[in-house]
Amino acid sequence: MTHTSLKAVRAALAAALVLLACAAPARADSWRPARDSGLMLTVGHGEAQSAAVGGTMLWCDPPRGHHRRAADACAELEAADGRIADIPAKDVICPMVHAPVTAHAHGTWRGRAVEYTETFSNSCMLTARTGSVFALNAP
Protein backbone atom coordinates (compact mmCIF):
# COMPACT_ATOMS: atom_id res chain seq x y z
CA MET A 1 0.00 0.00 0.00
CA THR A 2 1.31 3.41 -0.84
CA HIS A 3 1.26 6.46 1.37
CA THR A 4 -1.53 8.03 -0.71
CA SER A 5 -3.81 5.01 -0.48
CA LEU A 6 -3.23 4.79 3.28
CA LYS A 7 -4.55 8.36 3.57
CA ALA A 8 -7.57 7.39 1.47
CA VAL A 9 -8.26 4.36 3.70
CA ARG A 10 -8.00 6.50 6.84
CA ALA A 11 -10.34 9.11 5.34
CA ALA A 12 -12.84 6.42 4.38
CA LEU A 13 -12.72 4.90 7.88
CA ALA A 14 -13.17 8.32 9.46
CA ALA A 15 -16.16 9.01 7.21
CA ALA A 16 -17.67 5.63 8.08
CA LEU A 17 -17.26 6.31 11.81
CA VAL A 18 -18.97 9.69 11.44
CA LEU A 19 -21.88 8.07 9.59
CA LEU A 20 -22.20 5.39 12.28
CA ALA A 21 -22.10 7.97 15.05
CA CYS A 22 -24.85 9.99 13.36
CA ALA A 23 -27.01 6.91 12.84
CA ALA A 24 -26.61 5.59 16.41
CA PRO A 25 -29.20 7.88 18.08
CA ALA A 26 -31.85 6.86 15.55
CA ARG A 27 -31.27 3.18 16.30
CA ALA A 28 -31.16 3.74 20.06
CA ASP A 29 -34.63 5.30 19.92
CA SER A 30 -36.09 2.88 17.37
CA TRP A 31 -38.23 1.08 20.00
CA ARG A 32 -40.56 4.07 20.01
CA PRO A 33 -43.33 4.17 17.41
CA ALA A 34 -43.02 6.90 14.79
CA ARG A 35 -46.05 8.71 16.23
CA ASP A 36 -45.78 8.01 19.94
CA SER A 37 -48.61 8.97 22.27
CA GLY A 38 -47.71 10.13 25.76
CA LEU A 39 -49.61 12.20 28.31
CA MET A 40 -48.53 13.64 31.65
CA LEU A 41 -51.60 13.34 33.86
CA THR A 42 -52.29 15.13 37.15
CA VAL A 43 -55.28 15.36 39.46
CA GLY A 44 -55.40 17.94 42.20
CA HIS A 45 -57.88 18.73 44.93
CA GLY A 46 -59.58 22.05 44.43
CA GLU A 47 -60.51 24.15 41.48
CA ALA A 48 -57.04 25.19 40.36
CA GLN A 49 -54.60 23.26 38.23
CA SER A 50 -51.78 24.39 40.54
CA ALA A 51 -53.31 22.26 43.31
CA ALA A 52 -52.03 19.12 41.54
CA VAL A 53 -48.91 17.52 42.94
CA GLY A 54 -46.68 15.15 41.01
CA GLY A 55 -48.18 13.37 38.07
CA THR A 56 -48.20 10.14 36.15
CA MET A 57 -46.88 9.57 32.66
CA LEU A 58 -49.08 7.44 30.42
CA TRP A 59 -47.57 6.07 27.22
CA CYS A 60 -49.69 4.31 24.62
CA ASP A 61 -48.73 2.37 21.48
CA PRO A 62 -48.11 0.07 23.42
CA PRO A 63 -49.57 0.95 26.84
CA ARG A 64 -46.81 1.52 29.41
CA GLY A 65 -45.71 3.87 32.14
CA HIS A 66 -46.60 4.11 35.81
CA HIS A 67 -50.32 4.46 35.17
CA ARG A 68 -52.13 1.73 37.12
CA ARG A 69 -54.71 1.14 34.36
CA ALA A 70 -52.63 2.00 31.29
CA ALA A 71 -54.24 -0.54 28.94
CA ASP A 72 -57.78 0.61 29.80
CA ALA A 73 -56.85 4.29 29.58
CA CYS A 74 -55.14 3.84 26.22
CA ALA A 75 -58.13 1.91 24.85
CA GLU A 76 -60.49 4.71 25.92
CA LEU A 77 -58.21 7.33 24.39
CA GLU A 78 -57.95 5.28 21.20
CA ALA A 79 -61.75 5.16 20.90
CA ALA A 80 -61.90 8.97 21.36
CA ASP A 81 -58.91 9.63 19.03
CA GLY A 82 -56.95 11.07 21.96
CA ARG A 83 -59.61 13.66 22.83
CA ILE A 84 -60.31 13.25 26.53
CA ALA A 85 -63.45 15.42 26.35
CA ASP A 86 -64.88 12.97 23.77
CA ILE A 87 -64.66 9.92 26.04
CA PRO A 88 -68.28 8.81 26.52
CA ALA A 89 -69.67 9.54 29.99
CA LYS A 90 -70.39 6.50 32.12
CA ASP A 91 -73.91 6.00 33.41
CA VAL A 92 -73.26 6.12 37.16
CA ILE A 93 -74.85 7.69 40.19
CA CYS A 94 -72.45 9.99 42.03
CA PRO A 95 -73.02 11.53 45.46
CA MET A 96 -73.87 15.21 45.55
CA VAL A 97 -70.77 16.07 47.56
CA HIS A 98 -68.87 19.19 46.63
CA ALA A 99 -65.20 18.17 46.78
CA PRO A 100 -63.78 19.61 43.56
CA VAL A 101 -60.90 17.97 41.71
CA THR A 102 -59.05 19.36 38.72
CA ALA A 103 -57.70 17.02 36.06
CA HIS A 104 -54.94 18.11 33.71
CA ALA A 105 -53.29 16.33 30.78
CA HIS A 106 -50.64 17.54 28.39
CA GLY A 107 -48.55 15.75 25.83
CA THR A 108 -49.12 14.24 22.41
CA TRP A 109 -51.50 11.80 20.82
CA ARG A 110 -50.27 10.37 17.52
CA GLY A 111 -48.16 13.45 16.92
CA ARG A 112 -50.93 15.94 17.81
CA ALA A 113 -50.58 18.19 20.86
CA VAL A 114 -52.99 17.49 23.71
CA GLU A 115 -53.85 20.02 26.42
CA TYR A 116 -56.80 19.28 28.70
CA THR A 117 -57.90 20.83 31.98
CA GLU A 118 -61.28 20.32 33.62
CA THR A 119 -62.62 20.74 37.14
CA PHE A 120 -65.22 18.25 38.37
CA SER A 121 -67.44 18.55 41.43
CA ASN A 122 -65.92 15.37 42.93
CA SER A 123 -63.77 12.36 42.04
CA CYS A 124 -66.81 10.24 41.16
CA MET A 125 -67.77 12.76 38.46
CA LEU A 126 -64.16 12.79 37.25
CA THR A 127 -64.19 9.01 36.79
CA ALA A 128 -67.67 9.04 35.24
CA ARG A 129 -66.56 11.61 32.68
CA THR A 130 -62.98 10.50 31.89
CA GLY A 131 -63.03 6.75 32.52
CA SER A 132 -59.67 5.22 33.35
CA VAL A 133 -57.54 8.08 32.03
CA PHE A 134 -57.22 9.81 35.41
CA ALA A 135 -57.31 6.64 37.56
CA LEU A 136 -53.99 7.61 39.12
CA ASN A 137 -54.40 6.74 42.81
CA ALA A 138 -53.78 3.32 44.29
CA PRO A 139 -56.87 1.06 44.15
Side-chain angles (χ1 to χ4, degrees):
M1 214 183 268
T2 66
H3 190 284
T4 304
S5 63
L6 187 56
K7 283 184 179 179
V9 170
R10 285 183 183 162
L13 285 174
L17 288 174
V18 168
L19 287 174
L20 285 173
C22 291
R27 275 188 262 130
D29 208 25
S30 64
W31 64 270
R32 293 181 119 177
R35 297 179 348 163
D36 209 355
S37 299
L39 299 174
M40 175 55 79
L41 306 167
T42 59
V43 176
H45 295 284
E47 296 181 12
Q49 179 184 335
S50 62
V53 177
T56 299
M57 191 69 194
L58 170 66
W59 291 100
C60 296
D61 303 326
R64 61 195 185 281
H66 292 111
H67 193 289
R68 70 182 182 104
R69 295 183 58 199
D72 294 336
C74 290
E76 291 168 352
L77 286 165
E78 176 71 32
D81 193 30
R83 293 177 175 87
I84 297 169
D86 291 348
I87 294 173
K90 310 298 182 273
D91 188 21
V92 298
I93 298 173
C94 290
M96 295 182 63
V97 174
H98 185 72
V101 291
T102 299
H104 179 73
H106 69 274
T108 59
W109 180 263
R110 307 268 163 84
R112 184 183 70 237
V114 172
E115 191 70 35
Y116 173 87
T117 302
E118 184 81 28
T119 300
F120 299 90
S121 58
N122 56 48
S123 59
C124 179
M125 292 300 295
L126 166 69
T127 302
R129 213 32 220 102
T130 64
S132 301
V133 174
F134 290 99
L136 308 180
N137 298 330

